[in-house]
Amino acid sequence: MTLEQTIKDILPLDYEAMARAKVHWDSLAKPLNGLGELEKLLIRIAGIRRSPSIDLRHKAVVVLCADNGVVAEGISQSGQDVTKIITENLSNGTSTVCHMARAAGADVIPVDIGVASEVEGDRILHRKVAYGTRNMAKEPVMTRAQAIRAIEIGIETAYWCQRQGYDIIATGEMGIGNTTTTSAVVAALLHAPVELVTGRGSGLTTEGLHRKIQVISDALARWKPDQHDPIDILSKVGGFDLCGLTGLFLGSAACGLPAIVDGVISGAAALCAARLCPTIRDYLIPSHHTAEPAGALLEQALDIHPILDAHMALGEGTGAVLMFGLLDAAASLYCNGNTFDDSNIEAYQPLS
């Protein structure tokens, strides 16, 4: 599935299915809009699935794994070997998100889209575009063709998840240095000051943070990515994980598979997807407020309103995974709750 064809295949949400879901919510023996944002999210899921019948039992966390050449500039506390280790841990079930996913009844699907070395594991989808990106401090991180290929891998992964029978996915990533690439992409997309959108990532000193800001600023000044062209931005200062996530959002929308936005990295990819196809905005299911500085700006740009605020900054899709439990609880009521007729209770009426 090509990027161009995928964008053509993305339709507006099914508003008839959403209206029917709203009617069903209002028929249940509870106060109108009693579950607040959770009711709205399930109505949106009905629009994505193009049916008021909602089943979220089969869940997956899709984690795009890739290395970033900018790590050579000392902008991270860890080296690239950690990306390989955690990618393999995602496969064997010992990484952080794996424990949380098991609690939520979700499968973890690591995708090697650009790890800098070979990785081994039965659950890894091997989709490597290259062995990591180039260093943005020295040259553009990838070619435009590589960026498009990585986006299309994300699209293909969404369709793969649909064929595997998943009802909903959470989006995650793993790659040392990817808060640097994310800050660069967000600064370019929003034409925002680098220092406003750059944080300490997994734990930089103040000196390290200043170095990170300088590296990003210099790269943006040198390569001059086009604010109006997300692919140009991704190819000059992005990462393969960001490209893959961008495609994952596009592909999920095209095939009617609900996808949950995780933190700042996932959010930056969602904004790239929305710039390529504005209809995507209606498909985005937010999860949590991120501790990274760019988070609030991304939420504003995407007009999404996360309902969790736990000051998380872990990555791997961990914030998105927490949404599974909330959505499951809401879906249980939606699918099984007594109606006013069942309960012999007079239905609530909308207030004027």
Side-chain angles (χ1 to χ4, degrees):
M1 184 67 70
T2 66
L3 171 59
E4 182 180 4
Q5 184 59 52
T6 300
I7 291 173
K8 291 179 181 177
D9 288 344
I10 297 173
L11 302 173
L13 297 179
D14 187 329
Y15 294 108
E16 180 180 350
M18 295 172 71
R20 291 169 64 190
K22 171 64 173 169
V23 168
H24 181 66
W25 268 126
D26 291 349
S27 74
L28 298 180
K30 61 165 185 60
L32 297 176
N33 305 310
L35 288 186
E37 293 299 319
L38 288 172
E39 292 192 23
K40 294 178 183 178
L41 288 176
L42 259 66
I43 290 170
R44 184 179 298 177
I45 288 171
I48 295 170
R49 298 295 298 267
R50 316 197 80 75
S51 169
S53 298
I54 294 175
D55 185 347
L56 303 178
R57 288 175 295 176
H58 301 103
K59 302 180 281 289
V61 191
V62 183
V63 186
L64 279 295
C65 305
D67 275 303
N68 302 280
V70 72
V71 168
E73 299 301 312
I75 47 73
S76 176
Q77 205 178 70
S78 305
Q80 287 188 338
D81 58 312
V82 174
T83 304
K84 170 183 168 64
I85 292 168
I86 295 182
T87 300
E88 293 180 342
N89 288 346
L90 287 164
S91 177
N92 63 35
T94 60
S95 185
T96 304
V97 74
C98 297
H99 298 284
M100 298 173 69
R102 275 193 290 273
D107 296 331
V108 176
I109 302 168
V111 182
D112 172 12
I113 195 169
V115 181
S117 57
E118 294 296 341
V119 291
E120 298 180 357
D122 293 340
R123 296 191 59 83
I124 297 173
L125 296 184
H126 295 278
R127 306 288 189 268
K128 198 189 298 285
V129 177
Y131 289 86
T133 58
R134 297 191 287 265
N135 182 355
M136 72 168 74
K138 308 296 184 185
E139 55 189 323
V141 298
M142 67 185 86
T143 66
R144 188 177 182 91
Q146 285 178 317
I148 293 172
R149 177 59 190 140
I151 291 170
E152 291 177 344
I153 286 171
I155 292 169
E156 293 163 8
T157 302
Y159 277 91
W160 181 89
C161 288
Q162 183 201 45
R163 292 194 300 272
Q164 299 303 307
Y166 291 112
D167 301 309
I168 187 169
I169 62 172
T171 59
E173 38 59 41
M174 175 58 219
I176 299 303
N178 63 5
T179 60
T180 298
T181 55
T182 296
S183 294
V185 167
V186 173
L189 284 170
L190 300 180
H191 198 58
V194 173
E195 58 272 17
L196 186 66
V197 298
T198 306
R200 295 178 185 269
S202 57
L204 283 175
T205 63
T206 298
E207 180 183 355
L209 175 61
H210 291 326
R211 172 64 177 161
K212 183 176 180 180
I213 290 170
Q214 191 63 56
V215 167
I216 296 169
S217 299
D218 290 348
L220 292 174
R222 174 178 277 188
W223 311 126
K224 297 179 173 57
D226 182 351
Q227 179 188 3
H228 306 291
D229 183 353
I231 298 175
D232 186 62
I233 294 171
L234 289 167
S235 69
K236 288 177 176 174
V237 296
F240 291 130
D241 52 349
L242 281 164
C243 294
L245 286 167
T246 298
L248 193 61
F249 286 118
L250 292 168
S252 297
C255 70
L257 180 65
I260 303 174
V261 181
D262 186 45
V264 68
I265 298 167
S266 178
L271 184 56
C272 287
R275 291 287 178 86
L276 291 167
C277 177
T279 305
I280 280 289
R281 294 171 185 270
D282 294 333
Y283 282 79
L284 300 176
I285 301 172
S287 59
H288 72 109
H289 294 285
T290 172
E292 279 289 307
L297 291 176
L298 285 168
E299 291 166 19
Q300 184 178 11
L302 290 166
D303 193 24
I304 58 175
H305 308 282
I307 63 177
L308 296 171
D309 189 0
H311 302 282
M312 294 180 68
L314 183 54
E316 297 183 30
T318 48
V321 166
L322 292 178
M323 283 298 296
F324 283 148
L326 294 175
L327 293 172
D328 278 344
S332 180
L333 175 59
Y334 178 87
C335 296
N336 305 303
N338 287 344
T339 66
F340 286 109
D341 289 341
D342 295 332
S343 306
N344 197 28
I345 296 173
E346 184 177 350
Y348 283 95
Q349 298 301 315
L351 297 175
S352 58

